[in-house]
Amino acid sequence: MKISIISASHRINSQSKRVSSVLQNNLSNIDPKLNTFILDLADAALPLWSPEKKDGKGVWGDTWNLISENFNNSDGFILVVPEYGGMATPAAKNIFLLCGNGEFAHKPGLIVSVSSGNGGAYPISELRMSSYKNTHIMWIPENIIIRNVEEFNPGTHGDNIPEWLDDRIDYVLKLFLTYASNMRPLRDIINRKDFGNGM
């Protein structure tokens, strides 16, 4: 089984990237045989979607094709998204526009929101509301919010991180992997030719 983790910050060496690495390690501890792919959208610096994407030139050639292939081969997705001004990041929204060939279709998604303060709820609401229609990603009912993220360090958190957070993350990741495993048969009956977009 393969899981893709997407760090949706625009900043190089961001807290979202650090959290993505922590989650990758947690997944490996749960299932050492699990294959993971991390995409840091700050490093990838993908342009905003435009009609020229279909031409497959420049970044939309080998660079995008490698990302798309990794996504197509994934059984589930974890999106680590910081809160920018009470919103999901432009990079987070853009990746859903770019994945127009069914990369996310009928696969479980887990939203992990991070905040340097006490925020973090708004990106979850925004993504649940507007990212699934044509991508057909299936957000699981659980999500994770990591507030005061600079103090997040599993096992030795700062004072503003609740003690129960590590157990909560472990629980949600195990649940997410169960969704990913059990949803695989759904993709045998998908008809993207006739019903590629939502209503």
Side-chain angles (χ1 to χ4, degrees):
M1 190 161 64
K2 181 172 183 175
I3 300 298
S4 283
I5 304 172
I6 303 168
S7 171
S9 175
H10 293 236
R11 297 178 179 175
I12 300 295
N13 295 322
S14 65
Q15 292 294 327
S16 299
K17 181 178 181 179
R18 184 175 70 85
V19 168
S20 296
S21 296
V22 170
L23 295 175
Q24 182 184 39
N25 185 63
N26 287 1
L27 289 170
S28 179
N29 289 336
I30 294 170
D31 182 359
K33 296 180 180 178
L34 192 69
N35 187 8
T36 54
F37 169 69
I38 290 186
L39 175 64
D40 181 358
L41 293 179
D43 286 340
L46 296 170
L48 293 176
W49 178 90
S50 71
E52 287 74 31
K53 178 177 176 286
K54 69 179 181 295
D55 297 333
K57 296 178 180 177
V59 70
W60 305 126
D62 291 343
T63 299
W64 174 253
N65 289 336
L66 180 60
I67 294 169
S68 179
E69 180 182 358
N70 274 288
F71 283 1
N72 275 322
N73 293 330
S74 294
D75 297 290
F77 298 88
I78 299 175
L79 185 73
V80 182
V81 57
E83 186 173 88
Y84 283 10
M87 296 178 284
T89 62
K93 301 302 290 276
N94 190 48
I95 196 68
F96 291 101
L97 292 173
L98 297 177
C99 290
N101 292 322
E103 290 94 340
F104 292 134
H106 302 279
K107 300 174 185 178
L110 168 63
I111 303 171
V112 179
S113 179
V114 303
S115 173
S116 60
N118 289 317
Y122 287 102
I124 295 169
S125 298
E126 183 178 353
L127 290 167
R128 287 190 184 279
M129 178 179 67
S130 66
S131 60
Y132 73 92
K133 176 185 172 286
N134 287 352
T135 65
H136 290 153
I137 194 167
M138 299 183 72
W139 297 118
I140 70 170
E142 296 287 348
N143 52 253
I144 296 168
I145 304 176
I146 302 176
R147 298 182 169 103
N148 303 298
V149 67
E150 286 86 357
E151 298 183 37
F152 176 72
N153 187 25
T156 57
H157 296 302
D159 293 338
N160 291 310
I161 301 289
E163 293 181 3
W164 49 259
L165 184 59
D166 290 344
D167 290 338
R168 181 75 182 197
I169 290 172
D170 188 58
Y171 162 72
V172 172
L173 290 178
K174 288 177 180 176
L175 188 65
F176 167 71
L177 290 177
T178 304
Y179 273 101
S181 176
N182 285 283
M183 287 175 62
R184 295 173 84 172
L186 283 174
R187 297 195 286 281
D188 293 335
I189 62 170
I190 291 172
N191 180 355
R192 285 193 51 80
K193 178 179 179 294
D194 297 319
F195 307 112
N197 294 326
M199 294 180 67

